[in-house]
Amino acid sequence: MLKYVLKRIVSSIVTIFIVATAVFFLMRFMPGGPFDGEKMTAETKKNLEVKYGLDKPLGEQYKTYIGNLVKGDLGVSLNTYKGRTVNWLIGYSFPASAKVGSLAILVSLVLGILLGIVAALYQDKWPDSLSMFISTLGVTIPSFVIAAVLIYFFAVQWRILPATGFSSWKNYIMPVIALSGSSTAFITRLSRNRLIDVMKSDYIRTAKAKGLSETTVIFKHALKNSLIPVVTYLGPLIASILTGSFVVEKMFAIPGLGREFVQSVTNRDYTVLLGATVFYCVFLVVANLLVDLIYVVIDPRIKLDNTEA
């Protein structure tokens, strides 16, 4: 176990380094700069570039950035939040993304697993067809389309829910539904297909032969093994939802990290874009590592020490 964790930590550090390097140079090679959209004289622009070290050779800028990154310093916002550090910006905006994202993940897991169980138990019958129809809609319709439809009906036409803001529990309903639509559909399919296979296993037949009820067989014996594909999907799901959905946060005016990421791209705010990307990367590799460790809890037959990183 320890050997595996150490290997994954090393590979995660390498991954973060590669991502940070790639994004750094890609941004520098893009036309334009962080001060091009602002009305200022050439002298003022030059002074700002000197202040933030953008006048130095590219190699020196990269060396400085990596050195600061190792120390946990993500730099200062160039134009989005002047004078604010990227560390402060992430600490300020991430909790909002985490609140909405946690609820969306919870809804996805509960509804997805329940719909998957219903579909598996009533295979090829109308509950199965209905669950698969709902999951197909969830997979094919993008989250921003779901968000737009929700806003139009519930906020504009019926005036039941607020379209923007983050001050009441009602503000969470539409963003959570929009964010959880696709993941709920995907988890439904994973749960259904895996549970159908597990229910055909010999140990399930043995459990039924012992006279155990259908509920006991499913929830005590079958469900645990059928969740392995869901756990596999859980790592990237947590990273993508908790760190914020770019378009959905923008549409509902949620002050989350996704919205800041979009603004940093629009403003060419190098440091914010780099910091948010690195944060996403760290979150993803940590989530995937935790998922691998959860495998052992769900299925003790999996030996991490013999698993290739």
Side-chain angles (χ1 to χ4, degrees), residues 1-270:
M1 173 75 75
L2 180 60
K3 180 180 178 181
Y4 175 80
V5 172
L6 291 175
K7 287 175 63 177
R8 286 301 303 268
I9 290 175
V10 172
S11 64
S12 298
I13 293 173
V14 173
T15 301
I16 295 169
F17 172 78
I18 293 174
V19 169
T21 300
V23 175
F24 177 89
F25 285 105
L26 284 173
M27 286 195 307
R28 293 305 194 275
F29 292 144
M30 290 173 60
F35 309 120
D36 290 351
E38 300 186 22
K39 296 181 179 180
M40 61 180 65
T41 63
E43 183 179 358
T44 302
K45 180 179 177 181
K46 181 66 176 179
N47 291 336
L48 287 173
E49 291 176 347
V50 172
K51 177 181 178 180
Y52 293 109
L54 299 179
D55 61 320
K56 298 178 180 178
L58 192 59
E60 189 173 345
Q61 293 184 43
Y62 173 72
K63 182 179 178 180
T64 301
Y65 177 74
I66 294 298
N68 292 333
L69 182 61
V70 171
K71 294 183 291 186
D73 182 5
L74 298 177
V76 180
S77 174
L78 300 180
N79 52 32
T80 307
Y81 292 92
K82 292 183 179 179
R84 295 285 190 176
T85 65
V86 179
N87 297 64
W88 172 87
L89 181 58
I90 292 175
Y92 172 78
S93 58
F94 177 65
S97 297
K99 289 178 183 177
V100 177
S102 298
L103 291 173
I105 292 172
L106 181 62
V107 169
S108 299
L109 288 173
V110 173
L111 286 183
I113 293 174
L114 288 178
L115 287 174
I117 292 173
V118 171
L121 293 180
Y122 296 93
Q123 185 181 2
D124 298 328
K125 297 180 180 179
W126 73 264
D128 182 23
S129 300
L130 180 60
S131 297
M132 289 301 95
F133 175 73
I134 294 174
S135 65
T136 300
L137 289 179
V139 170
T140 55
I141 301 177
S143 59
F144 65 87
V145 175
I146 297 176
V149 172
L150 291 173
I151 291 173
Y152 176 76
F153 285 104
F154 288 93
V156 177
Q157 292 294 323
W158 301 333
R159 299 183 182 276
I160 299 175
L161 298 173
T164 59
F166 206 61
S167 58
S168 170
W169 62 270
K170 293 182 179 180
N171 295 107
Y172 290 81
I173 296 177
M174 291 194 291
V176 168
I177 294 175
L179 282 175
S180 62
S182 176
S183 52
T184 299
F186 200 71
I187 291 174
T188 298
R189 289 179 172 273
L190 289 176
S191 302
R192 173 191 180 274
N193 295 337
R194 179 62 178 174
L195 187 56
I196 289 175
D197 292 337
V198 170
M199 292 296 289
K200 298 176 182 177
S201 302
D202 292 336
Y203 75 94
I204 296 297
R205 296 193 187 98
T206 302
K208 289 182 177 180
K210 291 180 179 180
L212 297 178
S213 65
E214 189 80 7
T215 303
T216 302
V217 170
I218 293 173
F219 288 96
K220 188 175 180 180
H221 298 281
L223 186 59
K224 187 175 180 180
N225 287 332
S226 66
L227 289 180
I228 293 178
V230 176
V231 173
T232 304
Y233 175 62
L234 196 58
L237 172 66
I238 291 174
S240 61
I241 290 185
L242 281 187
T243 47
S245 174
F246 304 154
V247 180
V248 171
E249 287 192 3
K250 190 74 173 179
M251 293 178 69
F252 290 103
I254 298 173
L257 190 57
R259 188 185 68 169
E260 306 303 340
F261 191 93
V262 173
Q263 290 183 349
S264 68
V265 174
T266 304
N267 298 335
R268 297 184 182 276
D269 196 332
Y270 293 156

Side-chain angles (χ1 to χ4, degrees), residues 276-292:
T277 302
V278 171
F279 182 78
Y280 280 126
C281 183
V282 171
F283 210 98
L284 179 60
V285 297
V286 171
N288 284 331
L289 176 59
L290 291 177
V291 164
D292 288 344

